[in-house]
Amino acid sequence: KQKFSKIEPEAMYLNHFIHSTFVLSSVQEEQIDFIVKDLNKLFLKKREIVTKIENWHIFEKDMLTQKNTLCLALQLTEKLVSLQLDLARILKKFLIPSNIYPPNLRGVFLESQKKWGYPFVGEHWFPHITIGSFGLSKSKINDLLDKEVIQNKMPIKTLGLYI
């Protein structure tokens, strides 16, 4: 993030702290305490989940930003998908419909959006850690990358709810 903030300081997501989004939902503020209670119960049931960083990935013309979004791809595991589905089930009870995704969603993305309010719930989810979304070309981003990614195991120890 530091390296790219010197190149394109206004790029989206550079000011977000390091995280992986499992579900993105709109909920009423009055429901936050109930959501936190349900999330705490869920997290007490789940043991530490371990994944690993696989490689660099670029979402070309990201559906939200229409720019090239650089991220670190995470290994998709059954435990990650299970956790994501549990989170989506909790949040679905409190969901307010949102129009942040383009109206041209199709297939599994549209089905997921209708069911969960988020187009990336399930086996088609691509877990990742976003670095930033840039106006730079894919080739320029690739040229700036440190090619070797340390493919360490990565424990997921906490859940965060960001408002």
Side-chain angles (χ1 to χ4, degrees), residues 59-134:
F59 291 107
E60 292 183 81
K61 294 189 180 177
D62 183 318
M63 73 168 59
L64 282 180
T65 67
Q66 298 304 307
K67 295 183 177 186
N68 293 322
T69 301
L70 173 64
C71 63
L72 287 165
L74 300 177
Q75 179 184 39
L76 181 65
T77 66
E78 286 183 33
K79 286 186 175 184
L80 276 184
V81 172
S82 174
L83 176 58
Q84 186 200 39
L85 287 170
D86 288 342
L87 292 168
R89 282 184 197 102
I90 288 170
L91 292 170
K92 183 178 179 176
K93 297 184 286 187
F94 305 100
L95 192 65
I96 298 171
S98 171
N99 293 331
I100 64 168
Y101 294 98
N104 61 344
L105 291 173
R106 300 281 182 265
V108 292
F109 300 106
L110 180 60
E111 290 172 32
S112 180
Q113 176 68 27
K114 285 180 180 177
K115 184 172 183 177
W116 305 108
Y118 185 61
F120 309 108
V121 175
E123 297 289 334
H124 62 283
W125 173 45
F126 188 87
H128 62 277
I129 298 171
T130 301
I131 306 302
S133 193
F134 306 100

Side-chain angles (χ1 to χ4, degrees), residues 2 45 122 144-145 151 155 163:
Q2 289 175 347
K45 290 181 196 173
L144 294 166
L145 291 176
Q151 298 182 338
I163 304 167

Side-chain angles (χ1 to χ4, degrees), residues 1-9 13-16 18 56 70 130-132 134:
K1 286 188 179 244
Q2 289 175 347
K3 180 178 188 174
F4 280 90
S5 66
K6 293 174 185 164
I7 296 162
E8 194 175 323
Y13 309 131
L14 282 176
N15 61 347
H16 292 194
I18 297 170
W56 292 110
L70 173 64
T130 301
I131 306 302
F134 306 100

